[in-house]
Amino acid sequence: MVSSMETARVIWCVLVAIIAFIPAKVLVLAAFSQSLDSDFTFSLPAGRKECFYQTMKQDASLEIEYQVLDGAGLDVDFFIYSPSGQILFSDYRKSDGVHTVETENGDYMFCFDNTFSKMSEKLVFFELILDNMDADEDPEDWKEYVHGTDVLDMKLEDIMDTINSVKARLGKSLQIQSVLRAFEARDRNLQESNYDTVNFWSVINLIVMMLVSAVQVYLVRSLFEDKRKIRT
């Protein structure tokens, strides 16, 4: 037990010494890049069109997933425009969709259109997944500044690979959780809408049944009334 603790302490001290001699530039290059995935939920009023912009690089990838969470019909029109203004994808009166674009340099525009609805407001969720946005940077540049790591059983390269793998899996987990939350919100809103609709028509049917029952009672009683006048 003591020997293993001493070994772990020696390895830790060696790692600290190596990191202390690594230039600041290496630490910057080895740092994590900012997450490029994002999601957003907004209200789209009736008769309105909302557009968003995303700046992309050459040979990158842009994936857009959207869902209509609430609103009559749970549908919306959706468009993606290239930097030159060309329509790449178009959806009409759909409740959800997923589109992937291989991009070029410029600003991409994607729009949600609710102009066909004059009364119903829509609640829309969308998620952006950006890939290959750091293609201009070489992630292996930091290796030329690090020397002497071969003496360790676990190299700094192995540590970075493990951390990057954990980061990628955590990012994927967050993405899946966001999509599941959107599905949950949509299902809950749909169930609440169905509940209100069922209650409304149940009350209408109850009122109609009471009126019909009253009319039937009146007709039956009128059939058994003696309308002859008693002569005195």
Side-chain angles (χ1 to χ4, degrees):
M1 182 68 179
V2 176
S3 60
S4 61
M5 293 181 60
E6 291 294 335
T7 303
R9 184 178 301 175
V10 170
I11 294 176
W12 174 252
C13 292
V14 173
L15 285 175
V16 171
I18 292 174
I19 295 175
F21 286 98
I22 297 177
K25 180 180 178 181
V26 178
L27 295 179
V28 173
L29 290 174
F32 295 128
S33 60
Q34 186 177 3
S35 176
L36 299 178
D37 299 344
S38 59
D39 55 82
F40 189 58
T41 303
F42 69 99
S43 296
L44 182 59
R48 292 283 300 276
K49 180 179 180 181
E50 294 288 345
C51 294
F52 301 85
Y53 297 86
Q54 176 62 49
T55 301
M56 299 298 297
K57 295 183 178 181
Q58 183 71 29
D59 298 329
S61 175
L62 169 63
E63 180 178 340
I64 302 178
E65 179 175 359
Y66 70 92
Q67 297 179 26
V68 182
L69 304 181
D70 196 12
L74 293 177
D75 54 359
V76 73
D77 294 342
F78 177 74
F79 305 93
I80 301 179
Y81 297 88
S82 67
S84 60
Q86 180 183 2
I87 297 179
L88 302 178
F89 296 98
S90 60
D91 295 337
Y92 296 94
R93 306 294 291 270
K94 293 190 65 175
S95 60
D96 58 81
V98 180
H99 298 289
T100 303
V101 181
E102 299 300 327
T103 64
E104 59 186 19
N105 291 323
D107 295 332
Y108 283 77
M109 180 175 68
F110 50 99
C111 300
F112 299 89
D113 192 349
N114 194 32
T115 54
F116 61 85
S117 177
K118 303 303 180 183
M119 298 181 60
S120 177
E121 182 181 20
K122 307 294 174 62
L123 184 65
V124 182
F125 163 84
F126 69 89
E127 182 179 23
L128 297 179
I129 302 175
L130 312 181
D131 292 328
N132 300 326
M133 291 295 289
D134 298 329
D136 296 337
E137 299 179 3
D138 187 2
E140 306 295 329
D141 284 347
W142 60 273
K143 294 182 179 179
E144 64 184 52
Y145 296 94
V146 180
H147 303 283
T149 57
D150 294 336
V151 299
L152 300 177
D153 292 333
M154 181 178 291
K155 300 178 183 179
L156 185 59
E157 179 181 355
D158 298 330
I159 298 175
M160 293 302 302
D161 290 341
T162 303
I163 295 176
N164 287 330
S165 176
V166 172
K167 179 195 172 188
R169 294 181 181 180
L170 288 176
K172 190 64 176 180
S173 300
L174 291 175
Q175 175 191 348
I176 294 175
Q177 290 176 0
S178 298
V179 174
L180 291 178
R181 284 197 301 268
F183 275 114
E184 179 186 2
R186 177 183 174 184
D187 293 341
R188 183 175 62 254
N189 292 329
L190 186 60
Q191 291 176 0
E192 291 177 354
S193 177
N194 292 337
Y195 177 76
D196 295 336
T197 302
V198 169
N199 286 340
F200 173 77
W201 286 110
S202 297
V203 172
I204 296 297
N205 290 334
L206 180 60
I207 294 175
V208 172
M209 290 176 59
M210 293 178 64
L211 291 176
V212 172
S213 300
V215 172
Q216 288 179 345
V217 171
Y218 174 76
L219 292 176
V220 171
R221 292 187 59 183
S222 65
L223 292 176
F224 290 95
E225 283 184 359
D226 190 2
K227 297 183 179 180
R228 294 175 300 175
K229 296 182 178 179
I230 302 175
R231 298 181 180 178
T232 57

